[in-house]
mmCIF file of all heavy atoms in Angstrom:
data_model
loop_
_atom_site.group_PDB
_atom_site.id
_atom_site.type_symbol
_atom_site.label_atom_id
_atom_site.label_comp_id
_atom_site.label_asym_id
_atom_site.label_seq_id
_atom_site.Cartn_x
_atom_site.Cartn_y
_atom_site.Cartn_z
ATOM 1 N N TYR A 59 9.647 -13.349 -4.027
ATOM 2 C CA TYR A 59 8.563 -12.615 -4.553
ATOM 3 C C TYR A 59 8.018 -11.653 -3.435
ATOM 4 O O TYR A 59 8.135 -11.911 -2.266
ATOM 5 C CB TYR A 59 7.363 -13.490 -4.964
ATOM 6 C CG TYR A 59 7.695 -14.350 -6.173
ATOM 7 C CD1 TYR A 59 7.990 -15.697 -6.051
ATOM 8 C CD2 TYR A 59 7.628 -13.770 -7.477
ATOM 9 C CE1 TYR A 59 8.257 -16.470 -7.186
ATOM 10 C CE2 TYR A 59 7.839 -14.542 -8.579
ATOM 11 C CZ TYR A 59 8.229 -15.856 -8.431
ATOM 12 O OH TYR A 59 8.474 -16.646 -9.547
ATOM 13 N N GLY A 60 7.439 -10.541 -3.901
ATOM 14 C CA GLY A 60 6.717 -9.697 -2.989
ATOM 15 C C GLY A 60 5.492 -10.468 -2.398
ATOM 16 O O GLY A 60 4.908 -11.329 -3.069
ATOM 17 N N ASP A 61 5.133 -10.069 -1.140
ATOM 18 C CA ASP A 61 4.035 -10.829 -0.514
ATOM 19 C C ASP A 61 2.752 -10.768 -1.292
ATOM 20 O O ASP A 61 1.915 -11.671 -1.242
ATOM 21 C CB ASP A 61 3.816 -10.220 0.879
ATOM 22 C CG ASP A 61 4.936 -10.564 1.825
ATOM 23 O OD1 ASP A 61 5.708 -11.493 1.535
ATOM 24 O OD2 ASP A 61 5.054 -9.858 2.862
ATOM 25 N N PHE A 62 2.544 -9.693 -2.029
ATOM 26 C CA PHE A 62 1.315 -9.494 -2.763
ATOM 27 C C PHE A 62 1.177 -10.380 -4.023
ATOM 28 O O PHE A 62 0.097 -10.541 -4.550
ATOM 29 C CB PHE A 62 1.144 -8.039 -3.223
ATOM 30 C CG PHE A 62 2.268 -7.606 -4.093
ATOM 31 C CD1 PHE A 62 2.158 -7.808 -5.487
ATOM 32 C CD2 PHE A 62 3.411 -6.986 -3.576
ATOM 33 C CE1 PHE A 62 3.185 -7.403 -6.318
ATOM 34 C CE2 PHE A 62 4.394 -6.568 -4.417
ATOM 35 C CZ PHE A 62 4.299 -6.787 -5.807
ATOM 36 N N VAL A 63 2.245 -11.005 -4.389
ATOM 37 C CA VAL A 63 2.253 -11.811 -5.646
ATOM 38 C C VAL A 63 1.381 -13.025 -5.459
ATOM 39 O O VAL A 63 0.562 -13.359 -6.348
ATOM 40 C CB VAL A 63 3.668 -12.191 -6.010
ATOM 41 C CG1 VAL A 63 3.642 -13.236 -7.150
ATOM 42 C CG2 VAL A 63 4.452 -10.970 -6.462
ATOM 43 N N LYS A 64 1.541 -13.733 -4.354
ATOM 44 C CA LYS A 64 0.674 -14.917 -3.993
ATOM 45 C C LYS A 64 0.428 -15.854 -5.133
ATOM 46 O O LYS A 64 -0.712 -16.256 -5.487
ATOM 47 C CB LYS A 64 -0.701 -14.361 -3.503
ATOM 48 C CG LYS A 64 -0.570 -13.521 -2.245
ATOM 49 C CD LYS A 64 -1.940 -13.164 -1.637
ATOM 50 C CE LYS A 64 -1.816 -12.183 -0.508
ATOM 51 N NZ LYS A 64 -0.976 -12.685 0.594
ATOM 52 N N GLY A 65 1.484 -16.248 -5.785
ATOM 53 C CA GLY A 65 1.485 -17.265 -6.820
ATOM 54 C C GLY A 65 0.993 -16.846 -8.193
ATOM 55 O O GLY A 65 0.853 -17.677 -9.088
ATOM 56 N N ARG A 66 0.792 -15.536 -8.343
ATOM 57 C CA ARG A 66 0.217 -15.097 -9.625
ATOM 58 C C ARG A 66 1.298 -14.790 -10.672
ATOM 59 O O ARG A 66 1.065 -14.844 -11.866
ATOM 60 C CB ARG A 66 -0.628 -13.808 -9.394
ATOM 61 C CG ARG A 66 -1.818 -14.024 -8.471
ATOM 62 C CD ARG A 66 -2.576 -12.736 -8.279
ATOM 63 N NE ARG A 66 -1.798 -11.658 -7.661
ATOM 64 C CZ ARG A 66 -1.683 -10.472 -8.132
ATOM 65 N NH1 ARG A 66 -2.315 -10.133 -9.261
ATOM 66 N NH2 ARG A 66 -0.932 -9.528 -7.518
ATOM 67 N N PHE A 67 2.520 -14.424 -10.200
ATOM 68 C CA PHE A 67 3.580 -14.048 -11.103
ATOM 69 C C PHE A 67 4.725 -15.025 -11.045
ATOM 70 O O PHE A 67 4.967 -15.671 -10.016
ATOM 71 C CB PHE A 67 4.114 -12.643 -10.676
ATOM 72 C CG PHE A 67 3.179 -11.504 -10.712
ATOM 73 C CD1 PHE A 67 3.574 -10.268 -10.165
ATOM 74 C CD2 PHE A 67 1.898 -11.628 -11.192
ATOM 75 C CE1 PHE A 67 2.721 -9.222 -10.197
ATOM 76 C CE2 PHE A 67 1.033 -10.581 -11.227
ATOM 77 C CZ PHE A 67 1.422 -9.336 -10.687
ATOM 78 N N THR A 68 5.455 -15.105 -12.144
ATOM 79 C CA THR A 68 6.623 -15.956 -12.217
ATOM 80 C C THR A 68 7.776 -15.235 -12.904
ATOM 81 O O THR A 68 7.642 -14.682 -13.958
ATOM 82 C CB THR A 68 6.350 -17.208 -13.071
ATOM 83 O OG1 THR A 68 5.222 -17.946 -12.478
ATOM 84 C CG2 THR A 68 7.574 -18.167 -13.098
ATOM 85 N N ILE A 69 8.881 -15.188 -12.197
ATOM 86 C CA ILE A 69 10.100 -14.591 -12.773
ATOM 87 C C ILE A 69 11.002 -15.671 -13.302
ATOM 88 O O ILE A 69 11.070 -16.779 -12.707
ATOM 89 C CB ILE A 69 10.867 -13.732 -11.748
ATOM 90 C CG1 ILE A 69 11.959 -12.912 -12.391
ATOM 91 C CG2 ILE A 69 11.386 -14.574 -10.600
ATOM 92 C CD1 ILE A 69 12.612 -11.875 -11.451
ATOM 93 N N SER A 70 11.655 -15.395 -14.444
ATOM 94 C CA SER A 70 12.591 -16.376 -14.995
ATOM 95 C C SER A 70 13.694 -15.548 -15.744
ATOM 96 O O SER A 70 13.527 -14.398 -15.998
ATOM 97 C CB SER A 70 11.903 -17.326 -15.962
ATOM 98 O OG SER A 70 11.271 -16.649 -17.055
ATOM 99 N N ARG A 71 14.768 -16.240 -16.032
ATOM 100 C CA ARG A 71 15.876 -15.582 -16.719
ATOM 101 C C ARG A 71 16.411 -16.560 -17.790
ATOM 102 O O ARG A 71 16.412 -17.765 -17.551
ATOM 103 C CB ARG A 71 16.963 -15.127 -15.758
ATOM 104 C CG ARG A 71 17.696 -16.226 -15.014
ATOM 105 C CD ARG A 71 18.601 -15.662 -13.918
ATOM 106 N NE ARG A 71 19.690 -14.796 -14.504
ATOM 107 C CZ ARG A 71 20.356 -13.926 -13.774
ATOM 108 N NH1 ARG A 71 20.101 -13.747 -12.446
ATOM 109 N NH2 ARG A 71 21.300 -13.160 -14.323
#
Side-chain angles (χ1 to χ4, degrees):
Y59 292 102
D61 290 342
F62 60 87
V63 169
K64 299 187 186 302
R66 300 182 297 131
F67 299 173
T68 302
I69 190 171
S70 61
R71 65 190 297 162

